[in-house]
Amino acid sequence: MLSSNNSNKDQNHNSTILVVDDVGPNLELLEAHLISEGYRVETATNGKQALEVVEKSPPDLILLDIQMPGMDGYQVCEKLKGEDHTRLIPIVMITALRELEDKIKAIDAGADDFISKPFNKLEVLARVRSLLKVKYLNEQLDTAENVIFALAQAIESKDKYTENHIERVSQYSMELARSLDLSATDIDAVYKGGQLHDIGKIVLDDSIINKPGRLTREEFELVKQHPLVGYKICHPLKSVRYALPVIRWHHEKLDGSGYPDGLKGDELPIAARIMAVVDVYDALTTKRSYKEAFPPQEGFRILEEEAAKGWWDGDLVRRFKEIRLKKV
Ligand SMILES: [Fe+2]
C-alpha cells in the first residue's frame, strides 16, 4: 500500500494543478490537499489572473470556482475550452450549490467534472487523478493523430498538381455521406479516409508522382502498392480505424477490376465506394501532370460512363452529381 502511494506521489510531481478561487481559506485548503499528494500547485484569485497563469505556463488541470467577482468560472472555462492550445486541459468546476442548473451551465461551458463545497479531500484527489489520466491519454492520441495527418499533408505536397486534393475529397465525401443520412461512423470514415487515403504514396518517388504522360507497367505496379502501404501505416492507430477500409479500397472497382484486393460489389463498404467516386471526380476536374482539368459536367459524364461499365456505384454518382452541380 505504502509503496503504491509513494509511486503515485512520485508521478504527481510532474503534474501542475491550477486552483482558482476568490475565497482565501478555500484556496489554501485545496492547495494543502494537493501538495500533500505531491502535486505542484499554482493559484489565482480571479478569472483574469487564472487566464494569465494559463497563458504563461499551461497547467495539467484546473480546479475552478464558479462564483467569482468579475469574470466568473463559466467564462474562464468557455474561453479555455475554445482555444486550441488549452482545450485539452481538464477543468473541474467548484460549486457551492448543488443546483442542476449550475451543472448544466458548467457542462455547456465545457467543464469536465464538478466538486461541491464543502470539499471531501478523498473525492477531490480521486477526481484529479482520473482526469489527469484521461488528459495524458488524450494527449497521446492527439499527438499520434496529428503526426499521421501532418504526414499525409507532407506527402500530398510532393505532388505539384494535387494541391488541396485531400481537403476537397474529404469535403465531397462528407457532403455525399451526409446527404445519404449515413451513420456518424461512416462520416468519420470518409472524412479521415479523405485525409489519409494516399498516405501510402510515401513509397513513391517524386519522379513517378509528377511524371507527365503515361506510367510504365513497372511504375504502375509500384503505384498500385499505395493503398496497402497506407493501410499498414494507419493500422496501429485506433483513432483512424474506421478509415482503414477507405484507405485500403479507394481504388477498387465494383466489377472486381480494381486494386489491391480485387473486391466486388457489396464486398466494398459504402465509405470506400464513396471515396472511389469522389477521388476520381476530383482527378478528372483538376489539372494533373498528365492531363488538363475537365469541367464538372464532363467529369460526371465520364463517371457515368464508367459506372455503366460496372466500375462505380451508379446511385452514388447520381446523388453526388445532384449535390455537386448545385454548387458550381
Ligand atoms: Fe490513391
Side-chain angles (χ1 to χ4, degrees), residues 18 42-44 48-59:
L18 169 63
E42 296 264 6
T43 57
K48 192 169 161 286
Q49 201 183 16
L51 293 178
E52 283 165 8
V53 173
V54 174
E55 200 48 55
K56 219 168 81 194
S57 83

Side-chain angles (χ1 to χ4, degrees), residues 197-198 201 226 250-251 279:
H197 66 290
D198 278 343
K201 286 190 175 170
H226 81 271
H250 70 279
H251 286 294
D279 192 28

Side-chain angles (χ1 to χ4, degrees), residues 251-263:
H251 286 294
E252 297 286 353
K253 292 174 180 159
L254 292 184
D255 63 359
S257 65
Y259 61 88
D261 297 311
L263 297 191

Side-chain angles (χ1 to χ4, degrees), residues 21-41:
D21 201 320
D22 59 316
V23 180
N26 286 340
L27 206 61
E28 282 160 26
L29 188 64
L30 283 170
E31 194 179 4
H33 288 341
L34 294 165
I35 287 175
S36 75
E37 282 300 300
Y39 294 108
R40 279 195 301 254
V41 179

